[in-house]
Amino acid sequence: MRLGWRLVPRTEPSRLWSVASPLLALALTVAGGVLLFVALGKDPVQGLDMFFVQPVRDAYAVGELLLKATPLLLIALGLAVSFRSNVWNIGAEGQFILGAVAASGVALTATPESSRWIVLPVLLAGVAGGMAWAGVTALLRDRFHANEILVSLMLVYVAEQVLGYLVFGPWKDPMGYNYPQTRLFEPATQVPLLMQGSRVSIGLPIALVGALVLWAYLFRTRAGFAQQVGGLAPAAARYAGFSSRRALWVAMLVSGGAAGLAGALEVAGPVGQLTPHVPAGYGFAAIIVAFVGRLHPVGMVLSSLLMSMFYIGGELAQSRLGLPKSITGVFQGLLLFMLLACDTFIQYRLQGLGAVAAAADAGADASNAESAGAAAGAGEA
């Protein structure tokens, strides 16, 4: 009898667990975090406190949580359009960088006499920069059938080189003590804050409005339905009169524009200048945000807050517990791994190979019995 296991598709996946699996994945991530802290010789209670209590301990901490959740939510909303359309834009980080670069180009033209209205061109430039960078991927897939996963991912590294060239070269601040960064932007270009004593800007309500708009677009409009069908079933979309090419371009431009807007809000908000450290991994983390949120606007609002906790908790664990900076990525990876594991067991169940062999033998015995009976009947006749 053979030993081992195999995955067998379930006849009907559980709807309850399809919704609840992110919560189970979070619980498993916490359990994995406890084991990690113990292995590193740290107090697990103190470690979990850094990640899940300290980020919400007071009003200022909540403000920082919302500040980091804003770009994650914006990028995830755009990626949800892509992923629901079966367009795999993995290069949101590059579109985030180009959005920051384009916004910085406009911000650097400001003078002390510039109007506060210059914030609008700064943000629009960020959107345009992200859309243009995503448009490269869309063009290569549309015209040359290039794989958008590879193209968008490779363009991230090109975007980093463009950023490095600018901050080490023509945009470098001559009065910046040779640091690779632009000069500080004029106060007029700074994104308005929501309240005094907090760094939360108008980016937060923009992201929340974006979540509402996305919900209405995907689930309450014919265009949203056509967008999803055009990506998932191109043949059916053509039969229904929908365009799969349009679905590709809309998906890439929307996701690129959202990432570019997040980049613009970052440089014109808490950073206030363009530096090589603007890429913070938000574009990659937003992929996890999108899937933990089940590609649904409400779910992504919650998962962006969770991912923001991981960022802040990682920074606190680094400064207070002496853990490496990579602890943030470890928690993010744990969450994604646990979610994928949970989703796998929603769709499949484990079956022992011994049971499979026994079932096959039983089937063979039944077939042999039937053959013998048929032969005996023929002999009597």
Side-chain angles (χ1 to χ4, degrees):
M1 185 174 75
R2 290 178 294 174
L3 300 177
W5 302 87
R6 74 170 184 175
L7 291 174
V8 179
R10 295 184 184 273
T11 55
E12 185 176 356
S14 169
R15 290 187 176 183
L16 173 62
W17 279 113
S18 296
V19 177
S21 63
L23 298 177
L24 177 59
L26 176 59
L28 293 173
T29 300
V30 171
V34 169
L35 296 177
L36 178 64
F37 288 129
V38 171
L40 293 173
K42 305 295 181 181
D43 182 3
V45 175
Q46 188 178 9
L48 293 179
D49 178 71
M50 295 294 115
F51 278 87
F52 298 103
V53 177
Q54 293 300 315
V56 293
R57 71 184 185 279
D58 54 35
Y60 180 80
V62 171
E64 292 298 297
L65 182 74
L66 296 175
L67 178 69
K68 288 189 177 295
T70 297
L72 291 170
L73 177 57
L74 276 172
I75 300 172
L77 292 173
L79 290 178
V81 177
S82 282
F83 297 157
R84 280 184 173 272
S85 306
N86 202 30
V87 177
W88 298 97
N89 178 13
I90 309 299
E93 182 77 357
Q95 294 140 30
F96 175 89
I97 295 172
L98 260 292
V101 167
S104 298
V106 175
L108 288 172
T109 65
T111 65
E113 293 76 28
S114 295
S115 166
R116 285 289 289 162
W117 285 103
I118 196 174
V119 170
L120 184 59
V122 168
L123 297 182
L124 291 177
V127 174
M131 292 177 71
W133 207 243
V136 175
T137 301
L139 178 65
L140 292 175
R141 173 175 163 175
D142 186 23
R143 296 297 300 273
F144 303 105
H145 305 288
N147 186 297
E148 75 273 15
I149 297 176
L150 296 177
V151 173
S152 61
L153 182 60
M154 293 300 102
L155 283 176
V156 173
Y157 304 103
V158 178
E160 290 178 347
Q161 296 303 313
V162 171
L163 172 63
Y165 165 74
L166 291 173
V167 297
F168 280 92
W171 287 3
K172 186 177 181 180
D173 183 7
M175 305 298 292
Y177 302 99
N178 206 35
Y179 285 104
Q181 59 191 24
T182 65
R183 62 178 174 83
L184 290 172
F185 299 155
E186 295 293 337
T189 65
Q190 298 297 300
V191 176
L193 301 178
L194 287 184
M195 62 189 76
Q196 292 296 327
S198 173
R199 298 196 298 164
V200 181
S201 70
I202 61 170
L204 178 62
I206 290 174
L208 294 176
V209 170
L212 181 61
V213 170
L214 179 63
W215 175 83
Y217 172 71
L218 288 177
F219 306 119
R220 291 295 183 270
T221 66
R222 180 181 183 274
F225 176 74
Q227 176 68 28
Q228 297 177 74
V229 173
L232 291 172
R238 286 192 296 271
Y239 181 79
F242 303 150
S243 171
S244 57
R245 287 186 64 193
R246 180 180 180 276
L248 165 67
W249 280 95
V250 169
M252 289 302 303
L253 294 181
V254 168
S255 57
L261 176 59
L265 288 167
E266 190 74 6
V267 294
V271 178
Q273 62 184 156
L274 188 65
T275 75
H277 306 294
V278 164
Y282 290 146
F284 295 119
I287 298 174
I288 304 177
V289 170
F291 280 107
V292 172
R294 285 292 186 255
L295 303 182
H296 191 284
V298 175
M300 288 184 288
V301 169
L302 300 176
S303 60
S304 64
L305 293 173
L306 175 62
M307 197 61 60
S308 179
M309 279 186 170
F310 287 173
Y311 270 103
I312 295 175
E315 294 171 358
L316 293 174
Q318 183 183 3
S319 61
R320 299 182 184 181
L321 300 180
L323 293 176
K325 183 180 179 180
S326 57
I327 191 69
T328 300
V330 170
F331 266 84
Q332 292 175 352
L334 269 176
L335 180 62
L336 180 60
F337 178 80
M338 295 303 180
L339 180 68
L340 292 175
C342 291
D343 286 351
T344 298
F345 286 106
I346 289 172
Q347 300 294 330
Y348 299 89
R349 61 183 176 85
L350 281 176
Q351 185 180 57
L353 292 179
V356 175
D361 292 342
D365 292 342
S367 177
N368 293 335
E370 290 177 0
S371 299
E380 292 177 358

